[in-house]
Amino acid sequence: MRTLTKGRAAVGKSDNRAAARAAILGGAAIAALAIIGCNRGCNRAGNGPAGVSNPSVGYAYITNNGDGTVSQFSRQADGTLVFQKLTRAGAVDGPTGIAVDPSNRFVYAANEGDNRIYQFRIRGANGDLAPIGGGSVSDGPNSRPQQIALAPHGDFVYVTNAGGGKDAAGSIAEYAIDQNDGSLRPLGVFRGEGLKQPLGIVVAPGGKLVYVSDPAAGTILAFAVAPGGTLKLAGSTPSLGTKTGQPGMIAIDPSGGFVYTVDGPASVVVVFKAGVGGKLDFTKTCLVGVSTADPFGIALATAGASKFVYTGNRAVDTVSYFLRQDGAPALEGQSATGLGGPTGMVADPAGHFLYVVNRDAATVAQFAIVVAHHGGLFLASTVFTEDPANQSSHPLYIAITH
């Protein structure tokens, strides 16, 4: 399994990057790149472009695996991210997944280095993070928490745990959220039944189903949510449809009708249709472009009637973009600008911008989504995730308020 742990994220493919970039820049990709370049000027100072006067419309939070912190940004009306401050979030070589609750009141960050989940309250006036209670809850010894997903009603939290290695299988931790102060109360831990080293996790819009990617098992698992928030396995599906693969992150359509994942070695997006009771029916795979791309991150965007899929391709420093109709993605092109080991990705609620965290470059890139070009990307700015810049911060994942 290729987990993004202890500063090792997005490594191991660098020898292929130059050749892959050359392939991307040839042929039809030239046309796609024509709309992408950094024509507005790249900002790499870490504190936003000079003279920004746009009002803040929200906040973004990024985990820095290399130094045990969360970076806080204000998100401007034009999509620009302006660095504000760092908040401690446990052990160095630790922070991984991060999530904001649906009410924009609380933030939760996983730390695989100390096996804890850090819980924060968002101060509405400035977006600052204030620790809740003792600041964190234990996720269990040798749990190595990875990703966090919240139920749509803000009542439950689920955390994938990679476990302690070959002899210690992973698990899914279940928590209830105190609606008054945001503190987490452990409900239980799901183990066994084919679960090995779970990674990506999403909760269906209705809150009654949870889907998990497991790279070690090569499967996508579906869980039914009991009234009390605990999970029951509803089914397991090979991640490549007819055979097991190595799925990365996972995403779900806002309608709940389709589930998406990526497979790094196969360099594909995989689509499943969600059936009755959570059963997943394999629909298709779609190549992300270059056969050595090693996609890991995935994000969905909806802009009016247009729907798009984006994949972060770690080995070749690109983002592939797809137009999706009736759930099925069609590759439209790739962006090869402003990236350096892309990992976490998220689109804003209106589908105007895509934010991509770059582990190797210690940056976050802001792309404008060009609907007229089938979801093509225009690089608006790139900022360091810390100020002053810290190349060893190893940022991994991002969450934004809505």
Side-chain angles (χ1 to χ4, degrees):
M1 174 185 173
R2 297 160 302 129
T3 53
L4 299 181
T5 60
K6 300 193 181 297
R8 295 192 297 269
V11 297
K13 299 286 187 178
S14 58
D15 292 343
N16 295 329
R17 286 181 177 174
R21 284 196 193 100
I24 292 166
L25 291 171
I30 292 292
L33 291 173
I35 65 169
I36 294 169
C38 195
N39 295 333
R40 287 174 52 189
C42 293
N43 162 46
R44 296 183 179 274
N47 58 359
V52 168
S53 59
N54 291 317
S56 173
V57 296
Y59 302 96
Y61 304 96
I62 296 174
T63 52
N64 298 303
N65 184 273
D67 65 6
T69 62
V70 170
S71 292
Q72 174 186 320
F73 294 82
S74 64
R75 188 162 55 89
Q76 308 298 299
D78 66 352
T80 302
L81 297 183
V82 178
F83 178 82
Q84 292 183 302
K85 63 185 297 185
L86 292 176
T87 299
R88 296 299 309 177
V92 173
D93 291 342
T96 48
I98 190 165
V100 176
D101 90 300
S103 68
N104 293 325
R105 294 185 296 161
F106 311 119
V107 171
Y108 303 96
N111 189 306
E112 66 175 358
D114 57 20
N115 304 308
R116 302 190 72 82
I117 308 301
Y118 288 79
Q119 48 191 19
F120 303 94
R121 175 174 55 87
I122 298 176
R123 292 173 176 163
N126 54 18
D128 286 357
L129 299 180
I132 294 172
S136 66
V137 295
S138 173
D139 199 46
N142 299 315
S143 58
R144 291 178 58 225
Q146 299 297 307
Q147 295 298 312
I148 301 176
L150 279 77
H153 303 299
D155 45 359
F156 303 115
V157 169
Y158 303 99
V159 181
T160 54
N161 299 315
K166 282 200 271 186
D167 299 326
S171 61
I172 302 172
E174 308 152 339
Y175 298 90
I177 301 177
D178 185 299
Q179 295 301 296
N180 293 317
D181 65 8
S183 60
L184 298 180
R185 175 173 60 85
L187 294 175
V189 179
F190 183 95
R191 304 180 188 275
E193 297 196 53
L195 197 68
K196 291 186 177 181
Q197 291 184 330
L199 177 63
I201 184 167
V202 292
V203 182
K208 296 182 179 180
L209 296 167
V210 171
Y211 298 101
V212 172
S213 61
D214 190 327
T219 57
I220 306 297
L221 299 99
F223 296 88
V225 179
T230 57
L231 302 179
K232 180 179 180 180
L233 184 67
S236 178
T237 305
S239 62
L240 288 175
T242 58
K243 62 180 181 179
T244 58
Q246 292 185 32
M249 301 296 282
I250 190 170
I252 189 167
D253 186 272
S255 70
F258 295 93
V259 174
Y260 302 82
T261 190
V262 289
D263 188 283
S267 288
V268 296
V269 174
V270 192
V271 188
F272 299 89
K273 188 173 183 179
V276 177
K279 181 180 182 295
L280 290 179
D281 295 320
F282 169 75
T283 300
K284 67 177 296 186
T285 60
C286 183
L287 289 170
V288 301
V290 178
S291 62
T292 57
D294 191 24
F296 180 83
I298 187 168
L300 307 184
T302 301
S306 300
K307 298 180 179 182
F308 310 110
V309 179
Y310 298 94
T311 67
N313 307 318
R314 297 185 300 173
V316 295
D317 292 343
T318 67
V319 172
S320 296
Y321 54 93
F322 305 77
L323 181 65
R324 57 187 172 102
Q325 295 178 329
D326 299 324
L331 179 64
E332 298 291 335
Q334 298 174 73
S335 164
T337 305
L339 302 167
T343 50
M345 311 168 66
V346 66
D348 78 301
H352 294 156
F353 306 105
L354 178 73
Y355 301 98
V356 183
V357 178
N358 297 287
R359 183 267 186 193
D360 294 346
T363 62
V364 54
Q366 173 212 348
F367 292 93
I369 295 173
V370 185
V371 175
H373 289 269
H374 298 168
L377 300 175
F378 179 96
L379 181 63
S381 66
T382 303
V383 297
F384 286 109
T385 59
E386 298 188 9
D387 185 14
N390 178 6
Q391 293 290 346
S392 63
S393 61
H394 300 159
L396 291 183
Y397 299 107
I398 181 172
I400 63 175
T401 57
H402 293 75

